[in-house]
């Protein structure tokens, strides 16, 4: 099976990044959201991302225009029927995702259905679709447009054919490094990075070092692009909290219990880049102040 056209369901931060990355590789992308207004907002953000790359001479104006021309908008599931692969990137809520997969199972009987979930059960999501053997996890790490890694997650009923098709696509068409993961809460990347972020918050709350110096220690000492606290801001502190709480429930291990500081900040609405304030401050474009 050749994958030439891809649907992306959900035009939030991850959906935008995935759509932009696929379009930049010359792949036709159908981007779905609830309303035309949400779609226009997403396209503006993608265009802004491309403009930043243009300013840095990372792409040409022709490449920018070509990428945008590959992204098509839709608000109906039925229009996704022509896609070979559909990637779901809606909010990390099991019931919402199951509803999406139920609709995709009806509207797209021949497509491979993938979820970008970082903590939820692929097997449970697959149960909502008509053919669970066609359901797989494609977890793009942040930032989706630039990160070279993709976790390919197999659910209980994911077929070998589905896995091999997706693996070939990831490695050959979008030139990403793929690792195969069997279903487990947090998989590999989320499970490890969230415990690091949580420990960084414990270190901060104990007054061991400032947020700036904690991040500097990991950036300079271990060659991290972002320190754990800024990374949490970029993920969204509410998303980090949701992931930690789910892993704590699933594993029952105290190392996954969210820091009280994390809960306080989410309650205060300090969610990171999306609110302009988290452990650090950010402008409207998501750049650190």
């Amino acid at each position: 099976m050749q994958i030439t056209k891809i649907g992306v369901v959900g035009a939030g931060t991850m959906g935008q990044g995935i759509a932009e990355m696929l379009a930049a590789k010359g792949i036709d992308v159908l981007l779905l959201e609830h309303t035309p207004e949400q779609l226009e907002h997403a396209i503006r953000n993608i265009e802004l991302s491309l403009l930043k790359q243009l300013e840095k001479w990372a792409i040409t104006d022709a490449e920018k225009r070509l990428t945008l021309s590959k992204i098509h908008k839709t608000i109906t599931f039925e229009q996704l029927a022509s896609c070979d692969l559909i990637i779901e990137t809606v909010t990390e809520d099991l019931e919402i995702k199951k509803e999406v997969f139920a609709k995709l199972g009806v509207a797209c009987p021949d497509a491979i259905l993938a979820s970008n979930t970082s903590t939820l059960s692929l097997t449970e999501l697959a149960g909502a679709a008509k053919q669970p053997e066609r359901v797989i996890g494609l977890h793009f790490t942040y930032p989706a447009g630039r990160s070279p890694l993709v976790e390919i997650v197999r659910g209980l009923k994911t077929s070998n054919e589905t896995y091999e098709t997706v693996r070939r696509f990831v490695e050959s068409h979008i030139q990403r490094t793929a690792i195969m993961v069997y279903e487990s809460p947090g998989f590999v990347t989320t499970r490890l990075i969230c415990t690091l972020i949580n420990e960084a918050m414990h270190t901060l709350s104990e007054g061991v070092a400032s947020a700036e110096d904690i991040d500097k220690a990991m950036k300079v000492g271990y060659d991290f692009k972002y320190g754990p606290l800024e990374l949490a801001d970029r993920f969204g502190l509410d998303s980090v909290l949701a992931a930690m709480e789910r892993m704590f429930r699933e594993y029952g291990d105290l190392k996954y219990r969210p820091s009280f500081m994390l809960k306080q900040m989410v309650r205060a609405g300090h969610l990171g880049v999306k609110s302009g304030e988290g452990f650090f401050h950010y402008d409207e474009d998501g750049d650190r102040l």
Side-chain angles (χ1 to χ4, degrees):
M1 176 183 178
Q2 290 295 314
I3 296 176
T4 58
K5 187 175 183 181
I6 297 179
V8 177
V9 179
T13 302
M14 287 302 291
Q16 291 166 26
I18 292 169
E20 179 189 329
M21 178 271 296
L22 294 171
K25 295 293 184 181
I27 299 167
D28 283 305
V29 178
L30 205 53
L31 185 61
L32 182 145
E33 253 299 351
H34 288 298
T35 66
E37 292 76 21
Q38 288 172 306
L39 280 171
E40 289 302 327
H41 177 71
I43 296 297
R44 283 196 300 272
N45 284 344
I46 292 171
E47 189 167 9
L48 179 61
S49 170
L50 292 169
L51 281 170
K52 286 183 178 180
Q53 295 171 58
L54 185 62
E55 289 169 358
K56 295 176 182 176
W57 296 67
I59 60 172
T60 65
D61 186 60
E63 287 172 324
K64 169 182 166 288
R65 286 186 279 109
L66 182 60
T67 297
L68 287 172
S69 73
K70 289 288 184 179
I71 302 175
H72 314 280
K73 299 172 287 186
T74 183
I75 58 172
T76 65
F77 281 85
E78 287 71 26
Q79 285 190 295
L80 298 176
S82 61
C83 296
D84 306 303
L85 169 67
I86 298 164
I87 304 171
E88 167 275 312
T89 69
V90 303
T91 187
E92 195 75 348
D93 180 285
L94 181 62
E95 294 308 315
I96 292 174
K97 286 183 184 287
K98 284 171 68 176
E99 184 179 339
V100 167
F101 272 84
K103 290 179 180 178
L104 290 173
V106 173
C108 311
D110 300 317
I112 292 174
L113 308 179
S115 176
N116 187 53
T117 182
S118 58
T119 59
L120 298 175
S121 167
L122 253 297
T123 300
E124 194 162 357
L125 291 178
K130 289 202 174 255
Q131 294 174 287
E133 66 275 9
R134 292 187 295 110
V135 177
I136 198 164
L138 267 181
H139 181 225
F140 292 82
T141 52
Y142 179 88
R146 297 189 299 277
S147 175
L149 179 73
V150 180
E151 290 180 299
I152 303 179
V153 188
R154 298 187 67 147
L156 184 64
K157 296 187 177 180
T158 303
S159 70
N160 288 332
E161 181 184 2
T162 296
Y163 168 74
E164 288 298 334
T165 299
V166 170
R167 183 189 59 79
R168 285 194 300 269
F169 170 76
V170 168
E171 293 180 344
S172 301
H173 286 68
I174 61 174
Q175 290 85 48
R176 289 319 196 247
T177 298
I179 63 168
M180 185 177 74
V181 181
Y182 289 101
E183 182 178 311
S184 176
F187 312 136
V188 174
T189 56
T190 300
R191 182 171 176 175
L192 297 184
I193 200 62
C194 279
T195 50
L196 174 62
I197 288 170
N198 207 41
E199 194 59 35
M201 292 180 195
H202 287 315
T203 305
L204 178 62
S205 65
E206 291 165 13
V208 174
S210 67
E212 186 78 41
D213 283 345
I214 289 169
D215 272 17
K216 187 184 296 183
M218 301 309 293
K219 288 164 67 179
V220 177
Y222 291 93
D223 204 25
F224 279 39
K225 181 174 181 179
Y226 299 114
L229 298 175
E230 182 174 349
L231 197 56
D233 281 350
R234 294 189 177 279
F235 287 158
L237 299 187
D238 52 341
S239 297
V240 174
L241 178 59
M244 292 295 302
E245 288 180 332
R246 180 166 292 278
M247 287 190 291
F248 185 40
R249 285 197 302 272
E250 292 286 340
Y251 290 114
D253 193 318
L254 288 176
K255 68 184 177 185
Y256 300 113
R257 185 171 65 186
S259 160
F260 183 64
M261 174 180 281
L262 176 60
K263 293 182 178 181
Q264 280 184 312
M265 293 186 72
V266 171
R267 289 168 186 159
H270 298 167
L271 307 180
V273 172
K274 66 176 75 176
S275 67
E277 180 179 0
F279 290 101
F280 306 102
H281 291 83
Y282 305 87
D283 64 19
E284 290 183 358
D285 296 334
D287 294 325
R288 180 108 165 249
L289 296 174

